[in-house]
């Protein structure tokens, strides 16, 4: 009996070493960049799922492009060139749509700050940048839906691209890059605002002049005095011009076409402005987030 027990113990499978029982840390946890990206993706998914509890924000995101398309395309468009103008204005309409992404970022982050969600995230071992990057990434996904609605409205109004599919795709990618840059402005506005109501006002008080003092819907050279210069170097003007160039949409008869440097190189100027805005406002937003949450 004792011999059988001894043999059973002798044939027992040896225990695995601890290194084989517990897996080694993943590469995402070892690499700080991959870790920030993974955390940002999780927070972006959380923001998108949160839209189910705030359907009004999503409805606004999808209805606003339709309202502006109808208002500018048919209320003002008939006196500015009719069908030719409606095809020309789609580039400006898309530029306005992606610029207004800023307001959704501002309101979304301001609401999280006011409701204490950011304080809860601070208790977790996540990067400061990941929280802000998750917000801008989720709003970029929302912007894709807004751009799709705006494009559909343009097609229904008679707009058609006349360039190759690669040029058209490049136009949409440029618009999304600019949207991502504008979202970081929205992050900074939310961080300097004391509450959601003030954040909503600050998010719009500068955006309307920036959008309409441009060549998005009219020729910027027709604006009086220094407004013409402001419109010429406004990145919303260059984005609208880049989209029209990439889509192959020509201005209607009677439109004065500017010949300044941004108008001659609209895609390059828009991309440069987008990268500059991202670099500046990522830095400012991270600094402001650190000072605000360290109180």
């Amino acid at each position: 009996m004792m011999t059988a027990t001894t043999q059973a113990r002798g044939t027992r499978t040896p225990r695995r070493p601890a290194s084989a029982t517990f897996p080694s840390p993943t590469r995402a946890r070892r690499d700080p960049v991959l870790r920030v990206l993974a955390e940002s993706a999780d927070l972006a998914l959380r923001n998108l799922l949160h839209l189910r509890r705030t359907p009004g924000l999503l409805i606004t995101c999808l209805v606003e492009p339709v309202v502006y398309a109808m208002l500018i395309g048919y209320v003002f468009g008939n006196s500015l060139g009719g069908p030719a103008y409606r095809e020309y204005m789609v580039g400006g309409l898309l530029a306005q749509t992606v610029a207004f992404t800023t307001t959704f970022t501002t309101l979304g982050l301001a609401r999280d700050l006011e409701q204490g969600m950011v304080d809860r995230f601070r208790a977790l071992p996540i990067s400061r940048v990941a929280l802000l990057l998750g917000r801008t990434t989720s709003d970029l996904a929302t912007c894709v839906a807004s751009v799709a609605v705006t494009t559909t409205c343009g097609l229904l109004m008679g707009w058609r691209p006349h360039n190759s599919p690669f040029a058209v795709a490049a136009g949409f990618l440029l618009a999304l890059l600019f949207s991502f840059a504008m979202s970081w402005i929205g992050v900074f506005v939310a961080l300097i605002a004391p509450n959601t109501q003030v954040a909503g006002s600050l998010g719009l008080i500068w955006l309307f002049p920036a959008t309409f003092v441009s060549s998005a819907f009219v020729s910027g050279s027709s604006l009086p005095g220094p407004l013409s210069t402001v419109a010429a170097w406004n990145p919303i003007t260059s984005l609208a011009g880049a989209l029209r160039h990439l889509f192959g949409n020509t201005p209607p008869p009677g439109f004065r076409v500017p010949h300044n440097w941004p108008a001659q190189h609209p895609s390059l100027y828009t991309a440069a402005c987008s990268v500059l805005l991202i670099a500046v406002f990522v830095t400012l937003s991270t600094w402001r987030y650190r000072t605000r949450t360290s109180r």
Side-chain angles (χ1 to χ4, degrees), residues 37 40-41 43-45 47-48 51 57-58 61-62 94-95 97-106 108-109 131-150 171-187 239 274 278:
L37 293 178
S40 302
L43 291 169
L45 181 60
N47 295 332
L48 292 175
L51 285 176
L57 188 61
L58 183 60
C61 171
L62 299 179
L94 286 169
T97 298
V98 299
F100 268 71
T101 305
T102 309
T103 60
F104 301 111
T105 305
T106 301
L109 182 57
L131 176 64
L132 306 181
L133 184 59
R135 168 57 57 184
T136 54
T137 304
S138 63
D139 290 333
L140 183 63
T142 307
C143 179
V144 171
S146 297
V147 167
V149 172
T150 304
F172 284 114
L173 290 176
L174 183 64
L176 294 178
L177 173 64
F178 186 75
S179 171
F180 186 68
M182 294 293 287
S183 289
W184 281 102
I185 301 178
V187 167
L239 175 60
S274 299
I278 292 172

Side-chain angles (χ1 to χ4, degrees), residues 105-155:
T105 305
T106 301
L107 291 174
L109 182 57
R111 187 181 296 109
D112 283 345
L113 287 165
E114 192 172 53
Q115 294 178 351
M117 290 302 301
V118 173
D119 292 331
R120 297 181 184 180
F121 291 138
R122 284 178 58 206
L124 301 175
I126 61 176
S127 169
R128 296 186 182 97
V129 178
L131 176 64
L132 306 181
L133 184 59
R135 168 57 57 184
T136 54
T137 304
S138 63
D139 290 333
L140 183 63
T142 307
C143 179
V144 171
S146 297
V147 167
V149 172
T150 304
T151 304
T152 302
C153 290
L155 291 171

Side-chain angles (χ1 to χ4, degrees), residues 80-276:
L80 293 173
Y85 173 78
R86 280 191 284 274
E87 184 174 70
Y88 179 75
M89 79 161 194
V90 169
L93 199 62
L94 286 169
Q96 183 195 49
T97 298
V98 299
F100 268 71
T101 305
T102 309
T103 60
F104 301 111
T105 305
T106 301
L107 291 174
L109 182 57
R111 187 181 296 109
D112 283 345
L113 287 165
E114 192 172 53
Q115 294 178 351
M117 290 302 301
V118 173
D119 292 331
R120 297 181 184 180
F121 291 138
R122 284 178 58 206
L124 301 175
I126 61 176
S127 169
R128 296 186 182 97
V129 178
L131 176 64
L132 306 181
L133 184 59
R135 168 57 57 184
T136 54
T137 304
S138 63
D139 290 333
L140 183 63
T142 307
C143 179
V144 171
S146 297
V147 167
V149 172
T150 304
T151 304
T152 302
C153 290
L155 291 171
L156 293 175
M157 290 189 299
W159 167 77
R160 296 292 184 273
H162 302 291
N163 265 348
S164 67
F166 296 102
V168 175
F172 284 114
L173 290 176
L174 183 64
L176 294 178
L177 173 64
F178 186 75
S179 171
F180 186 68
M182 294 293 287
S183 289
W184 281 102
I185 301 178
V187 167
F188 183 69
V189 171
L191 290 171
I192 64 175
N195 53 57
T196 305
Q197 289 76 17
V198 175
S201 300
L202 289 177
L204 289 174
I205 199 170
W206 67 272
L207 192 55
F208 273 103
T211 302
F212 289 100
V213 183
S214 68
S215 296
F217 303 111
V218 297
S219 175
S221 59
S222 64
L223 298 176
L227 292 181
S228 177
T229 303
V230 172
W233 292 89
N234 187 342
I236 296 178
T237 293
S238 64
L239 175 60
L243 293 176
R244 289 161 182 156
H245 174 73
L246 292 170
F247 294 160
N249 300 137
T250 57
F255 260 64
R256 289 186 288 177
V257 179
H259 297 284
N260 46 59
W261 193 90
Q264 295 297 319
H265 309 85
S267 299
L268 177 62
Y269 182 72
T270 303
C273 287
S274 299
V275 172
L276 180 62

